[in-house]
Every structure is written in structure tokens, then in C-alpha cells.
Amino acid sequence: MKVLHAIDALGVGGGAEHSLAAMLPRLRDLGVESSVVTLIPREGGLQERLRDEGFRVDVLPTSSWPGRVQAMRAAIKEQQPDVVHATLLNSCLVARAASIRSTVPLLNSLVNTTYDPVRLQGLDVSPRKLDVLRRIDGFTARHFVDHFHALTEAVRTEGTDVLGIDGDRITVVPRGRPMPSLPADPAAARLVIREELEVDADAPMLLNLARQDHQKAQPELIRAFAQVVEQIPDAVLVLAGRAGDATPNIERAIDETGVGASIRMPGHRTDVPLIYTAADVFVFPSHYEGFGGTLIEAMSVGTPIIGSDAPAIAEVLGHGEFGVVVPRGDIDGLGSAMVDLLGDAGRRAEFSRRGVEQFAARYEIGEVTNAMLELYRSVARRS
């Protein structure tokens, strides 16, 4: 079987990109020949890694919309895959236009709650532009896509209720990650990471691992953390992730709260999952998500989690079974949740145990890859 994967870009990558890179070698082991087409070139990172692993990665030679559609159509005609699988909205829209009159079935991944009303609340999103995008997205999805893959039931619900897609055309398969390979002495590795981050060995450490975007709500996290420091003065918050459109707001929140001495910002990290093992609690208060790959990364090593009640996050956390769920934007509630969990070792241990078990049962990359392979076969058969 041959699958052509279309995605916006690779490079450093986010959840979708890392999930694709983790899955392709395992699909190859199962007999799937995969290639990748990206809209935007990225030097190094996942793009070069996949090429080094023997996968074909082509970058479309133009940034114009008609040019991208034409180039994507040419790639499909040349490679003649059994399935085209597009991930992320821009790539999905290009693949939909390119697949018109094509006999190759098109699978689209729905990976975010793109039209969550919270996007209009202080996130600099124009209601008119979002509505136009929704109409284009819905029309092309209903008419030009053979089947859909959704990461969570929350994303599937948006597909049916907002885009008007028939629910029978959407299959839910979560993202996956490899079972982590931890050092023989995790306690020693934890100390090494903490020393690098300039965090005392016994200091209560909270971790947020995400790019600095408005979606991720780091300024609210900082304001909630200021309440933590009032009660736990030696607590430390590590904000790991590359700079983004929220960086100025993050810096402003640090200045206004005066907690800069208790915050570490090491930038983008590649030492996953080790950085999770250095933390006592992972905090993920995003305004909206389609899944949240960092949640299952934290689960995989047993780091207790506090997340927002964004539908997909609450779903991954079992609505409180696998982590603490706090209402979005509730700064006082988030601060109290962090203080309470840091002060309750027994509860942290229980969340740790449940998280590891849930990861092994639902999110281990081998099981997820098997499910995706069956979906590819089903889409090819239906076509």
C-alpha cells in the first residue's frame, strides 16, 4: 500500500508533525510505502530526519494557492498512491482542490477545534474571517473528501455540528507516542535536568511545554502561578517552548506579577520525555486544542497533569480521572489547583499511576499505527 501524506510543514514541528514522524517508520514495518508533501520548506528538524530515514519528502515549489494546487495534483498523478492523507487545514484545503476529478481517495485529519467560540474571545480572530473560513472548509469537506480522521470525539463533534459532515464519514483515532525509553537511574537524570534548568533538587516544579501562542494561555498560567508563590515560595514554573505571538504578553505578565525569579524559560526542548520527569506537575491550560500531544507525553512517564476544560483536553484527561480539570480562563481556580496538587503527594502518585496505564492502553504508538493502517485500508476499499 502507498500513502501520500500532505502537511503544512515539518521543521521543529508541533503535535501533528511529531506524530507523523513517529508513525511513518512503523507504517513502513507494516508494509506501507509513505511519502510526504509539505507546503512550506523548513530546514533541518523533522524534514531532514525523515529524509535521513529514507522517506521521500517534497516541498511544493510555490507559495501561491493555484500553484500549490497544481503541484499537489502533479504529485498525486506522479506517485499514484492508494490514499492521500492530508493533515492541518491549509494542506487539507489544497489537497481537496487538487483531488477534484482524481480517482485516488482523500483522507483528511481533523486535528483541532478550529471553530471553538473561545477563539473569538481575546484571541485576535476576526469573526467575519472565521465564518468565511468555516463556510469554505465545510463545503469542500462535504463535497471533496472521501473520509475523515479525528483525534478526539470533541473534534469529531465539531466536524458534524459545525462543518456538517456526516458522522459515519469520521473515524476517531488518537495520536500516539512511543513508549518512552528512560535512563536506568531516572532520579539521577531528574537531578541533571533540574541542575541545567537551575531548579533546586527539592523545589516544587511546575512545567508547561508548548509554543508561546495565544492558544496556550501562558500569561494566565503566570498570573495563576503568582498565587502559588504566595503560598509555596520555593515553587518554580518552567515554560519550555519556542517563541511565538504570545511572547510579548508572557513577558508583560512576568513583569506585572513580579515572579520572574521563580520562572525559567529554556526555549525549545528536544529532551522529551526527560524534561517531564524533572517536573512534579505538568500544567496545560490551553484555550482550545484538538488533542494535546504533550498530555500523553506527560502521561507516558507518570507526570501528574492539570489541564483546562477545553473539550479535547478534558476528554484526554477522562474529565478528571487522569488529571485535574480546571475551567478555561479561571486564574484563581488554576492557582488553587496547582497549590492543592503540589501539596498532595498521594493524589499525585495516583494520577501518575493512572496516566501510565492509560497511555499504555490507548496512546502507545504501535496500537495507534495499527488503527491508522486499518483506516487507510478501509478508505482504499471504499473508494
Side-chain angles (χ1 to χ4, degrees):
M1 168 172 255
K2 293 176 64 176
V3 179
L4 189 156
H5 301 265
I7 195 165
D8 291 7
L10 289 169
V12 172
E17 295 84 356
H18 281 279
S19 294
L20 177 63
M23 190 171 63
L24 291 191
R26 289 160 179 83
L27 284 171
R28 181 165 56 191
D29 291 343
L30 295 172
V32 177
E33 180 183 342
S34 296
S35 60
V36 182
V37 170
T38 73
L39 306 186
I40 304 168
R42 289 284 189 267
E43 295 302 323
L46 297 176
Q47 180 170 296
E48 294 309 314
R49 174 180 138 191
L50 288 176
R51 284 174 173 162
D52 290 343
E53 292 175 353
F55 294 101
R56 176 176 175 176
V57 180
D58 295 323
V59 181
L60 297 187
T62 176
S63 61
S64 74
W65 168 259
R68 283 175 171 172
V69 172
Q70 184 178 0
M72 183 76 74
R73 184 177 292 128
I76 295 171
K77 184 176 181 180
E78 176 207 344
Q79 297 187 38
Q80 284 297 301
D82 298 292
V83 175
V84 174
H85 178 193
T87 302
L88 301 180
L89 183 56
N90 287 330
S91 292
C92 287
L93 292 174
V94 170
R96 291 170 194 175
S99 295
I100 295 174
R101 295 189 300 274
S102 171
T103 59
V104 179
L106 175 61
L107 174 70
N108 276 186
S109 280
L110 306 175
V111 301
N112 216 330
T113 50
T114 304
Y115 307 101
D116 190 318
V118 76
R119 295 195 69 194
L120 302 178
Q121 300 170 12
L123 297 182
D124 299 324
V125 176
S126 163
R128 180 177 176 277
K129 288 183 178 180
L130 193 63
D131 184 61
V132 170
L133 178 62
R134 178 188 61 79
R135 292 173 183 273
I136 294 171
D137 190 7
F139 178 83
T140 58
R142 293 189 300 272
H143 293 281
F144 303 135
V145 182
D146 294 278
H147 199 75
F148 296 86
H149 156 236
L151 296 179
T152 56
E153 289 294 338
V155 174
R156 181 180 185 274
T157 297
E158 181 175 275
T160 57
D161 295 356
V162 178
L163 299 181
I165 302 168
D166 187 335
D168 291 340
R169 297 174 61 204
I170 307 175
T171 300
V172 176
V173 179
R175 281 188 178 138
R177 292 288 189 274
M179 189 66 73
S181 177
L182 297 175
D185 189 348
R190 171 185 168 98
L191 292 177
V192 170
I193 296 294
R194 282 182 165 238
E195 182 177 1
E196 179 187 341
L197 295 171
E198 299 182 349
V199 178
D200 290 344
D202 297 326
M205 176 178 155
L206 300 151
L207 171 68
N208 174 260
L209 181 63
R211 65 187 181 275
Q212 295 175 3
D213 287 352
H214 293 300
Q215 170 187 355
K216 305 299 182 179
Q218 288 107 335
E220 294 172 11
L221 171 56
I222 291 165
R223 298 184 191 283
F225 175 67
Q227 301 178 13
V228 176
V229 174
E230 291 178 359
Q231 301 182 56
I232 310 175
D234 60 339
V236 175
L237 172 63
V238 176
L239 298 174
R242 64 185 184 272
D245 55 22
T247 300
N249 291 339
I250 291 171
E251 294 170 347
R252 186 177 306 114
I254 292 173
D255 290 341
E256 292 174 354
T257 57
V259 295
S262 299
I263 293 180
R264 310 288 184 267
M265 298 178 65
H268 175 70
R269 304 289 297 199
T270 59
D271 53 353
V272 178
L274 285 179
I275 194 168
Y276 291 102
T277 67
D280 297 296
V281 175
F282 178 68
V283 191
F284 198 64
S286 291
H287 292 289
Y288 63 96
E289 293 285 343
F291 182 79
T294 52
L295 294 172
I296 62 171
E297 290 171 354
M299 281 183 180
S300 73
V301 298
T303 304
I305 300 168
I306 298 172
S308 75
D309 67 347
I313 295 176
E315 181 180 329
V316 173
L317 294 180
H319 301 279
E321 183 178 356
F322 308 113
V324 178
V325 177
V326 178
R328 287 180 280 188
D330 184 354
I331 293 174
D332 291 341
L334 180 58
S336 295
M338 289 189 284
V339 170
D340 291 346
L341 195 55
L342 285 174
D344 192 337
R347 195 174 180 213
R348 292 201 308 273
E350 181 62 17
F351 279 136
S352 176
R353 181 188 66 80
R354 291 180 188 175
V356 170
E357 291 177 352
Q358 175 71 348
F359 175 84
R362 182 161 175 76
Y363 302 118
E364 196 278 321
I365 189 66
E367 293 302 315
V368 170
T369 303
N370 288 337
M372 285 303 300
L373 175 57
E374 181 52 40
L375 178 56
Y376 291 148
R377 288 171 172 166
S378 174
V379 171
R381 283 197 301 268
R382 271 180 235 174
S383 176

